[in-house]
Amino acid sequence: MSIGQIILILVSVLVAAGVCQRALDRLRLTDRQALLFVALIFIGGLLPDISIGRARVNVGGALVPFGLAVYVWARAGSAKERLRALAATLVTAAAVYAIGRFFPNEPETMPFDVNYLYGIAAGLIAYVFGRSRRSAFIAGVAGMLLADVAQAVMLWTDGIDQTLRLGGAGMLDTIVISGVSAVLFAELLGEFIERCVRGAKRKEGARG
Protein backbone atom coordinates (compact mmCIF):
# COMPACT_ATOMS: atom_id res chain seq x y z
CA MET A 1 0.00 0.00 0.00
CA SER A 2 1.40 3.40 -1.00
CA ILE A 3 1.76 6.44 1.26
CA GLY A 4 -1.03 8.19 -0.64
CA GLN A 5 -3.46 5.33 0.01
CA ILE A 6 -2.48 5.26 3.69
CA ILE A 7 -3.13 9.01 3.97
CA LEU A 8 -6.51 8.58 2.30
CA ILE A 9 -7.48 5.90 4.81
CA LEU A 10 -6.33 8.10 7.72
CA VAL A 11 -8.30 11.04 6.34
CA SER A 12 -11.40 8.84 6.07
CA VAL A 13 -11.05 7.76 9.70
CA LEU A 14 -10.56 11.34 10.88
CA VAL A 15 -13.54 12.58 8.86
CA ALA A 16 -15.75 9.78 10.20
CA ALA A 17 -14.64 10.64 13.74
CA GLY A 18 -15.55 14.31 13.21
CA VAL A 19 -11.99 15.55 13.71
CA CYS A 20 -11.86 17.34 10.35
CA GLN A 21 -15.14 19.21 10.72
CA ARG A 22 -13.60 22.68 10.88
CA ALA A 23 -11.38 22.10 7.84
CA LEU A 24 -14.30 20.65 5.87
CA ASP A 25 -16.47 23.63 6.76
CA ARG A 26 -13.81 25.95 5.35
CA LEU A 27 -13.65 23.85 2.19
CA ARG A 28 -17.45 23.94 1.91
CA LEU A 29 -17.62 20.15 2.11
CA THR A 30 -19.86 17.90 4.18
CA ASP A 31 -18.61 14.71 5.81
CA ARG A 32 -20.41 12.59 3.20
CA GLN A 33 -19.00 14.59 0.31
CA ALA A 34 -15.47 14.32 1.72
CA LEU A 35 -15.78 10.57 2.22
CA LEU A 36 -17.18 10.19 -1.30
CA PHE A 37 -14.27 12.05 -2.87
CA VAL A 38 -11.75 10.09 -0.79
CA ALA A 39 -13.35 6.82 -1.93
CA LEU A 40 -13.34 7.95 -5.56
CA ILE A 41 -9.66 8.91 -5.39
CA PHE A 42 -8.74 5.61 -3.72
CA ILE A 43 -10.74 3.42 -6.09
CA GLY A 44 -9.92 5.53 -9.15
CA GLY A 45 -6.23 5.15 -8.40
CA LEU A 46 -6.57 1.39 -8.84
CA LEU A 47 -8.14 1.70 -12.29
CA PRO A 48 -6.12 1.61 -15.53
CA ASP A 49 -5.02 4.96 -16.94
CA ILE A 50 -7.14 6.52 -19.67
CA SER A 51 -5.37 7.31 -22.94
CA ILE A 52 -6.14 10.79 -24.28
CA GLY A 53 -3.95 11.63 -27.29
CA ARG A 54 -0.36 11.83 -26.05
CA ALA A 55 -1.44 11.66 -22.43
CA ARG A 56 -2.36 8.90 -20.00
CA VAL A 57 -4.65 10.12 -17.25
CA ASN A 58 -5.40 8.33 -14.00
CA VAL A 59 -8.92 8.70 -12.63
CA GLY A 60 -8.01 8.73 -8.95
CA GLY A 61 -4.72 10.58 -9.28
CA ALA A 62 -5.83 13.33 -11.66
CA LEU A 63 -9.47 13.51 -12.74
CA VAL A 64 -11.12 13.22 -9.32
CA PRO A 65 -8.65 15.54 -7.48
CA PHE A 66 -8.95 18.11 -10.26
CA GLY A 67 -12.73 17.84 -10.16
CA LEU A 68 -12.66 18.35 -6.38
CA ALA A 69 -10.41 21.40 -6.77
CA VAL A 70 -12.80 22.88 -9.34
CA TYR A 71 -15.75 22.17 -7.03
CA VAL A 72 -14.05 23.90 -4.09
CA TRP A 73 -13.01 26.81 -6.35
CA ALA A 74 -16.60 27.29 -7.60
CA ARG A 75 -17.83 27.48 -3.99
CA ALA A 76 -15.22 30.05 -2.93
CA GLY A 77 -16.54 32.96 -0.91
CA SER A 78 -15.77 35.73 -3.39
CA ALA A 79 -14.38 36.53 -6.82
CA LYS A 80 -11.26 37.86 -5.11
CA GLU A 81 -10.63 34.51 -3.47
CA ARG A 82 -11.12 32.70 -6.78
CA LEU A 83 -8.55 34.94 -8.44
CA ARG A 84 -6.15 34.43 -5.54
CA ALA A 85 -6.58 30.66 -5.86
CA LEU A 86 -5.79 30.82 -9.58
CA ALA A 87 -2.74 32.99 -8.95
CA ALA A 88 -1.55 30.64 -6.18
CA THR A 89 -2.01 27.69 -8.55
CA LEU A 90 0.24 29.31 -11.15
CA VAL A 91 2.90 30.16 -8.55
CA THR A 92 2.78 26.63 -7.11
CA ALA A 93 3.08 25.07 -10.57
CA ALA A 94 6.03 27.30 -11.45
CA ALA A 95 7.76 26.54 -8.15
CA VAL A 96 7.30 22.77 -8.48
CA TYR A 97 8.54 22.90 -12.06
CA ALA A 98 11.59 24.88 -10.95
CA ILE A 99 12.31 22.41 -8.14
CA GLY A 100 12.17 19.58 -10.66
CA ARG A 101 14.85 21.25 -12.76
CA PHE A 102 17.35 20.92 -9.89
CA PHE A 103 16.95 17.18 -9.45
CA PRO A 104 18.61 14.51 -11.63
CA ASN A 105 16.69 12.72 -14.36
CA GLU A 106 17.11 9.44 -12.46
CA PRO A 107 14.94 9.78 -9.30
CA GLU A 108 16.15 6.36 -8.11
CA THR A 109 19.55 7.92 -7.43
CA MET A 110 18.05 10.15 -4.75
CA PRO A 111 18.20 9.03 -1.08
CA PHE A 112 14.47 9.76 -0.72
CA ASP A 113 11.35 9.69 -2.87
CA VAL A 114 11.31 13.01 -4.74
CA ASN A 115 7.54 12.78 -5.17
CA TYR A 116 7.10 13.26 -1.42
CA LEU A 117 9.24 16.40 -1.53
CA TYR A 118 7.19 17.74 -4.43
CA GLY A 119 3.98 17.13 -2.50
CA ILE A 120 5.13 18.82 0.70
CA ALA A 121 6.74 21.73 -1.17
CA ALA A 122 3.61 22.24 -3.24
CA GLY A 123 1.46 22.18 -0.11
CA LEU A 124 3.61 24.77 1.66
CA ILE A 125 3.88 27.08 -1.35
CA ALA A 126 0.15 26.75 -1.98
CA TYR A 127 -0.58 27.78 1.61
CA VAL A 128 1.81 30.75 1.57
CA PHE A 129 0.34 32.20 -1.62
CA GLY A 130 -3.21 30.90 -1.27
CA ARG A 131 -3.61 32.31 2.25
CA SER A 132 -6.95 30.58 2.85
CA ARG A 133 -7.65 26.87 3.30
CA ARG A 134 -9.69 26.72 0.11
CA SER A 135 -7.12 28.54 -2.00
CA ALA A 136 -4.30 26.48 -0.52
CA PHE A 137 -6.03 23.19 -1.32
CA ILE A 138 -6.90 24.29 -4.87
CA ALA A 139 -3.36 25.50 -5.55
CA GLY A 140 -1.79 22.40 -4.01
CA VAL A 141 -3.75 19.99 -6.21
CA ALA A 142 -4.12 21.96 -9.44
CA GLY A 143 -0.59 23.36 -9.18
CA MET A 144 0.92 19.87 -9.14
CA LEU A 145 -1.10 18.79 -12.18
CA LEU A 146 -0.24 21.98 -14.05
CA ALA A 147 3.47 21.49 -13.30
CA ASP A 148 3.31 18.01 -14.88
CA VAL A 149 1.63 19.44 -17.96
CA ALA A 150 4.25 22.19 -18.22
CA GLN A 151 7.05 19.62 -17.95
CA ALA A 152 5.55 17.54 -20.77
CA VAL A 153 5.03 20.59 -22.99
CA MET A 154 8.68 21.61 -22.53
CA LEU A 155 9.83 18.12 -23.51
CA TRP A 156 7.59 18.14 -26.58
CA THR A 157 8.96 21.56 -27.51
CA ASP A 158 12.48 20.14 -27.32
CA GLY A 159 11.46 17.37 -29.71
CA ILE A 160 11.28 14.63 -27.06
CA ASP A 161 8.30 12.39 -27.69
CA GLN A 162 7.30 11.45 -24.16
CA THR A 163 3.86 10.44 -22.93
CA LEU A 164 2.27 12.83 -20.44
CA ARG A 165 1.24 10.83 -17.39
CA LEU A 166 -1.18 12.61 -15.08
CA GLY A 167 -1.88 11.13 -11.68
CA GLY A 168 -0.44 7.70 -12.39
CA ALA A 169 2.07 5.68 -10.38
CA GLY A 170 3.71 7.83 -7.66
CA MET A 171 1.91 10.98 -8.79
CA LEU A 172 -1.25 9.95 -6.94
CA ASP A 173 0.81 9.99 -3.74
CA THR A 174 2.18 13.43 -4.64
CA ILE A 175 -1.27 14.87 -5.35
CA VAL A 176 -2.67 13.51 -2.08
CA ILE A 177 0.31 14.75 -0.06
CA SER A 178 0.10 18.16 -1.74
CA GLY A 179 -3.60 18.69 -1.10
CA VAL A 180 -3.58 17.35 2.47
CA SER A 181 -0.38 19.18 3.47
CA ALA A 182 -1.74 22.46 2.05
CA VAL A 183 -4.79 22.19 4.32
CA LEU A 184 -2.65 21.09 7.28
CA PHE A 185 -0.31 24.05 6.86
CA ALA A 186 -3.34 26.33 6.66
CA GLU A 187 -4.85 24.77 9.79
CA LEU A 188 -1.72 24.64 11.93
CA LEU A 189 0.28 27.67 10.77
CA GLY A 190 -2.84 29.71 10.03
CA GLU A 191 -4.26 29.04 13.50
CA PHE A 192 -0.91 29.84 15.13
CA ILE A 193 -0.63 33.15 13.28
CA GLU A 194 -4.25 34.05 14.07
CA ARG A 195 -3.67 33.42 17.77
CA CYS A 196 -0.51 35.50 17.75
CA VAL A 197 -2.37 38.38 16.08
CA ARG A 198 -5.25 38.14 18.57
CA GLY A 199 -2.80 38.05 21.46
CA ALA A 200 -0.99 41.13 20.18
CA LYS A 201 -4.28 43.01 19.81
CA ARG A 202 -5.31 42.10 23.33
CA LYS A 203 -2.01 43.38 24.71
CA GLU A 204 -2.40 46.65 22.79
CA GLY A 205 -5.97 46.97 24.09
CA ALA A 206 -4.82 46.38 27.65
CA ARG A 207 -2.13 49.02 27.32
CA GLY A 208 -4.63 51.46 25.85
Side-chain angles (χ1 to χ4, degrees), residues 3-179:
I3 184 66
Q5 292 172 323
I6 293 174
I7 291 175
L8 289 174
I9 292 175
L10 290 176
V11 169
S12 298
V13 172
L14 293 175
V15 170
V19 177
C20 302
Q21 191 59 55
R22 174 174 170 172
L24 292 178
D25 289 343
R26 298 295 178 88
L27 293 174
R28 301 286 198 273
L29 290 172
T30 65
D31 291 354
R32 290 185 178 181
Q33 289 173 332
L35 290 173
L36 174 62
F37 276 112
V38 168
L40 290 175
I41 292 173
F42 191 97
I43 296 173
L46 302 176
L47 300 176
D49 294 347
I50 301 172
S51 296
I52 304 176
R54 299 171 69 180
R56 293 183 62 82
V57 184
N58 185 268
V59 175
L63 294 183
V64 177
F66 182 72
L68 176 56
V70 171
Y71 176 79
V72 174
W73 180 81
R75 293 172 63 84
S78 64
K80 181 179 180 180
E81 185 177 14
R82 294 191 189 96
L83 289 175
R84 188 169 65 237
L86 293 176
T89 297
L90 294 176
V91 173
T92 301
V96 171
Y97 176 81
I99 291 173
R101 302 287 290 182
F102 288 99
F103 287 101
N105 294 326
E106 298 80 19
E108 60 274 7
T109 62
M110 300 295 294
F112 54 86
D113 194 327
V114 179
N115 287 329
Y116 299 163
L117 175 62
Y118 287 151
I120 295 174
L124 179 59
I125 295 167
Y127 160 66
V128 171
F129 289 92
R131 295 171 56 186
S132 72
R133 290 159 182 80
R134 287 187 293 273
S135 295
F137 176 80
I138 295 165
V141 172
M144 278 301 312
L145 292 172
L146 185 58
D148 281 347
V149 173
Q151 175 67 25
V153 171
M154 291 300 297
L155 291 175
W156 294 339
T157 302
D158 292 338
I160 301 175
D161 187 13
Q162 180 171 314
T163 301
L164 167 60
R165 297 182 181 276
L166 286 177
M171 284 310 300
L172 185 147
D173 294 344
T174 307
I175 293 293
V176 171
I177 292 173
S178 178

